[in-house]
Amino acid sequence: MTQIHIVTDSTCDLTDAEIKQHNVHMVPLSVQIDDITYTDRVNLQPDTFIELMRKAENLPKSSQPSPGSFKEVFDELGKDGSKVISIHMTGGMSGTYQSAVQAAEMSDADVTVIDSRYIAFGLAFQLREAIRLRDAGASVEEIVAGVNKVRENTRLFVVLDTLENMVKGGRIGKGKAVVSSFLNIKPIGHLDIGEVTICAKPRSYKQVVKFLIGEFEKDTKGKVVKSVAISHAGAMDTLVNPLIEQLRASVYNGEVEIAFTSPVISTHAGEGAIGFMYYAE
C-alpha cells in the first residue's frame, strides 16, 4: 500500500507530542527579532516569544519557508513512491502556501497542497482529520474531501487587545489606533474567507466575551460540537478564563484546548490577542 505523508508549517497548534506521535512533518517559518533570526518552534517557542517581543526595539518580522525548504522535504518523503499532503496556514496572511505550491511543482514527488484558509487550531482541526483518515487507510482524494468538510464547518474569531503591532507593521494608520485606544475598542475579526474581516468593535472584555458566546451559540445550535480551542498571546486573565467560564455557563461543557499562539501570529496580532475557534457539524 502506498504510504501518505502529512506536511504542515509551524503556525499550526498541534503540540510537539502530536506531531511526533502521528509522524507529521513540520516545515518552520522564521522570525527576526531585531538582528537575530529564530526558527519557529525550533529555537523560538510560543510561550517565551511574548517577552522577547515586548523587549524588542523593533516589531519582529516573520518569513515563510522557501520553496527549496519544502522541495527538500517533499523529495525525501516521496523518493519511495509515497504520496504527500501538505496543509498550511491561510494564503491570505502568508506566502507559506505559495512556497509549498511552487515546491510541489518542482518536486518529482506526488504532492497535494491545501490552503487551510485558517491558522492556529483552525489549521490543527484539519490536520487531525487528515491524520485520522490517513490512519484509517483513506486515499488522498478521501482525505482532501474530509479536510474540506472540516474547513467548511469551522469558525475562527480574532480579538485584538491593542492595535500597536498593526500600526508598527503598517497595516493601519496611527490616528485610527489612537481613536480605538481612546474608546477602549477591542476589534473582533473573523477568518471565514482566508483573511481577517472586522465584524464587531466592543469596548470592553465583557462585551467581547458576550459577542463570542452569542456567535458560538448561534453557530452550534442543533449541531454536534467537535472541537473548541483558544490560542492567545498572553491573555489568560483578561479573555481566556472569562470566555471559558461563560462557555461552561452556556451550552458547552466539553473540552476547551488552550495554547500560546505562534510567534508568527503574535507578531501581527499583538500582545493580549486571542483566537477563538470551533468546529461543529
Side-chain angles (χ1 to χ4, degrees):
M1 182 182 295
T2 302
Q3 189 172 1
I4 297 175
H5 293 285
I6 296 172
V7 175
T8 190
D9 59 71
S10 58
T11 66
C12 76
D13 276 346
L14 293 181
T15 65
D16 291 342
E18 278 185 285
I19 289 170
K20 183 178 181 179
Q21 177 185 351
H22 299 293
N23 196 29
V24 174
H25 304 271
M26 186 187 72
V27 180
L29 282 79
S30 60
V31 178
Q32 182 177 338
I33 305 175
D34 293 332
D35 295 326
I36 303 174
T37 299
Y38 297 86
T39 302
D40 190 17
R41 293 181 69 158
V42 176
N43 61 353
L44 180 66
Q45 299 302 321
D47 58 346
T48 58
F49 172 71
I50 298 299
E51 185 63 26
L52 291 173
M53 181 172 67
R54 190 182 296 141
K55 294 178 178 178
E57 293 183 10
N58 302 295
L59 181 69
K61 297 178 181 179
S62 61
S63 299
Q64 71 260 19
S66 67
S69 298
F70 278 115
K71 182 178 182 298
E72 185 177 340
V73 173
F74 295 161
D75 288 348
E76 178 63 25
L77 296 177
K79 66 183 181 181
D80 62 354
S82 295
K83 297 184 179 182
V84 178
I85 297 178
S86 202
I87 311 175
H88 299 287
M89 71 176 295
T90 171
M93 294 176 66
S94 168
T96 301
Y97 165 72
Q98 284 300 330
S99 283
V101 169
Q102 291 173 32
E105 292 171 350
M106 294 186 292
S107 177
D108 291 332
D110 184 340
V111 183
T112 300
V113 184
I114 298 174
D115 183 347
S116 74
R117 302 183 74 83
Y118 283 103
I119 54 175
F121 281 109
L123 169 55
F125 295 163
Q126 295 179 40
L127 287 165
R128 287 170 178 164
E129 181 66 0
I131 291 166
R132 185 188 72 80
L133 289 169
R134 177 202 63 186
D135 293 350
S139 65
V140 169
E141 292 74 20
E142 290 168 334
I143 294 172
V144 170
V147 167
N148 288 343
K149 183 177 180 182
V150 171
R151 182 188 310 114
E152 292 165 2
N153 289 286
T154 295
R155 291 209 77 190
L156 188 158
F157 292 94
V158 176
V159 183
L160 304 182
D161 189 48
T162 173
L163 296 179
E164 182 179 352
N165 284 34
M166 301 290 280
V167 172
K168 288 181 178 178
R171 294 176 181 269
I172 65 168
K174 188 174 182 179
K176 184 179 291 186
V178 169
V179 171
S180 295
S181 177
F182 179 74
L183 297 174
N184 202 31
I185 291 174
K186 313 293 183 187
I188 300 177
H190 61 83
L191 194 63
D192 290 344
I193 57 172
E195 297 180 356
V196 176
T197 303
I198 299 299
C199 58
K201 298 179 180 180
R203 295 190 180 183
S204 68
Y205 296 127
K206 186 175 181 179
Q207 289 179 3
V208 169
V209 171
K210 182 178 180 181
F211 176 83
L212 294 177
I213 294 297
E215 291 297 297
F216 177 83
E217 291 181 336
K218 179 177 64 178
D219 292 335
T220 61
K221 185 176 182 180
K223 299 179 181 179
V224 176
V225 178
K226 299 288 189 176
S227 296
V228 178
I230 303 171
S231 290
H232 72 99
M236 285 299 298
D237 293 334
T238 55
L239 280 171
V240 178
N241 288 332
L243 180 54
I244 292 175
E245 183 179 329
Q246 286 303 308
L247 276 170
R248 298 275 186 261
S250 61
V251 294
Y252 182 73
N253 198 37
E255 179 185 3
V256 179
E257 292 186 87
I258 302 170
F260 270 93
T261 195
S262 159
V264 174
I265 306 303
S266 294
T267 292
H268 299 294
E271 186 173 358
I274 70 165
F276 177 48
M277 294 147 275
Y278 47 90
Y279 157 43
E281 3 178 270

